[in-house]
Amino acid sequence: MRVTLWGTRGSLATPGPETVRYGGNTSCVEVRGADGTILVLDAGTGIRRLGGRLGPEVGRVNVLLTHLHMDHIQGLGFFRPLDQPGQEVHIWGPPSTTLDLRARVSRYLSPPLFPVRLRELPCRLTLHDVPLEPEQIRIGELRICAALVCHPGPTVGYRISEDGATLAYIPDHEPLLGASRLPSSDWISGFDLAARADLLIHDSQYSAGQYPKHVGWGHSAIPHVLEFTARTGAKRLVTFHHDPRHDDAALDRLVDEARSAAALPFEILPGVEGASFEC
Ligand SMILES: [Zn+2]
Ligand SMILES: [Zn+2]
């Protein structure tokens, strides 16, 4: 499968000359299977440009939301396939004990927050509460597993496999949650999602120095991400969900520091908007 980053910023869109290389758009990742199946992971502001590339010829479009924080759904109302009469669009998201996904997404896609209501969209739209592990869903030739991860509110990560290759996507994740080190592997949030993945896209929001002030906010500091990645045996790590305060120079520094940390058994790839990876 081919994996393309359309938005790598966390929390808030952060456009400007100081973020032009890593990009300012919030979470959105495109996955294209060998059979042409299209998955869109999260609907942050990066989804708008992706939607411009998806004409009616692409067939069914599948949007997989990790959770409903604004930085992961804000682009939804500007995603062109939703505005195409007859276009088949499926949106998947984490189950909640209170409301189904349609009711929760409608809170954003309705006045006063948005002028158009979900039911007024001309596409053929289906919303699904995504089944959790050990259940899997299959879309085209892609097998998808979702599991709850440590982050405020119902939040999932995704493990997507095709022909022996595996992508893990965990953009908002705090497996450490204030502890001084990760617990044994059976108890690490997100462990099964990332285990031996060929490509892991993971929350890398904070520097080590920033983390203590943000314990419980649901995000990771780079050293924790390195330990998490090493423990899971993932082969390549893509840094993701960059803090809005981190400009290009700061993100270069964080990646350089991570790469020069003790010999790591995996490769570190900076999560730059527009980057594309074969998985
Ligand atoms: Zn987020
Ligand atoms: Zn979040």
Side-chain angles (χ1 to χ4, degrees):
M1 58 194 130
R2 182 119 200 119
V3 179
T4 305
L5 310 180
W6 291 89
T8 63
R9 190 63 53 175
S11 308
L12 183 72
T14 315
E18 64 284 349
T19 57
V20 75
R21 276 192 298 111
Y22 281 80
N25 281 305
T26 63
S27 301
C28 182
V29 174
E30 174 191 6
V31 179
R32 283 210 187 219
D35 64 349
T37 298
I38 296 175
L39 305 183
V40 180
L41 308 179
D42 278 328
T45 61
I47 202 173
R48 189 194 64 83
R49 284 185 65 228
L50 167 58
R53 302 277 188 91
L54 303 178
E57 74 286 352
V58 300
R60 171 178 166 158
V61 175
N62 309 277
V63 179
L64 276 59
L65 303 174
T66 55
H67 62 312
L68 276 69
H69 284 162
M70 275 302 282
D71 54 324
H72 297 257
I73 61 169
Q74 197 168 10
L76 209 47
F78 302 87
F79 185 46
R80 189 171 78 164
L82 292 176
D83 208 28
Q84 302 283 316
Q87 172 78 55
E88 186 179 357
V89 182
H90 294 256
I91 300 178
W92 305 77
S96 151
T97 52
T98 50
L99 296 169
D100 67 12
L101 187 66
R102 175 175 283 275
R104 284 176 286 144
V105 171
S106 294
R107 283 181 168 174
Y108 164 46
L109 286 175
S110 61
L113 295 181
F114 198 76
V116 181
R117 290 178 194 277
L118 206 53
R119 64 169 181 268
E120 293 167 354
L121 295 171
C123 69
R124 289 190 292 141
L125 178 64
T126 311
L127 288 98
H128 312 259
D129 285 4
V130 73
L132 299 176
E133 64 161 355
E135 274 189 67
Q136 289 190 348
I137 54 173
R138 193 179 183 113
I139 301 178
E141 292 301 308
L142 301 176
R143 280 176 293 113
I144 300 156
C145 183
L148 292 168
V149 296
C150 192
H151 188 68
T155 303
V156 296
Y158 289 104
R159 181 180 175 93
I160 299 163
S161 305
E162 177 194 55
D163 247 351
T166 299
L167 163 71
Y169 176 69
I170 319 179
D172 292 50
H173 190 209
E174 187 181 8
L176 203 75
L177 196 58
S180 56
R181 50 169 313 153
L182 290 173
S184 69
S185 299
D186 287 350
W187 293 94
I188 300 176
S189 164
F191 185 88
D192 290 347
L193 289 173
R196 298 174 304 286
D198 296 286
L199 192 70
L200 166 63
I201 300 176
H202 195 279
D203 187 328
S204 308
Q205 180 127 355
Y206 302 127
S207 66
Q210 288 171 320
Y211 181 69
K213 276 194 174 165
H214 301 93
V215 172
W217 290 36
H219 300 292
S220 292
I222 301 272
H224 313 152
V225 185
L226 301 182
E227 189 185 348
F228 176 83
T229 307
R231 292 277 289 276
T232 61
K235 299 184 184 77
R236 287 178 292 167
L237 165 69
V238 178
T239 62
F240 200 78
H241 208 275
H242 309 306
D243 193 280
R245 293 167 294 182
H246 291 163
D247 61 14
D248 289 336
L251 288 169
D252 280 344
R253 268 198 310 279
L254 286 171
V255 170
D256 285 347
E257 282 169 23
R259 282 178 170 155
S260 59
L264 295 168
F266 54 86
E267 188 183 355
I268 300 176
L269 304 163
V272 172
E273 191 174 313
S276 210
F277 310 100
E278 206 54 56
C279 178

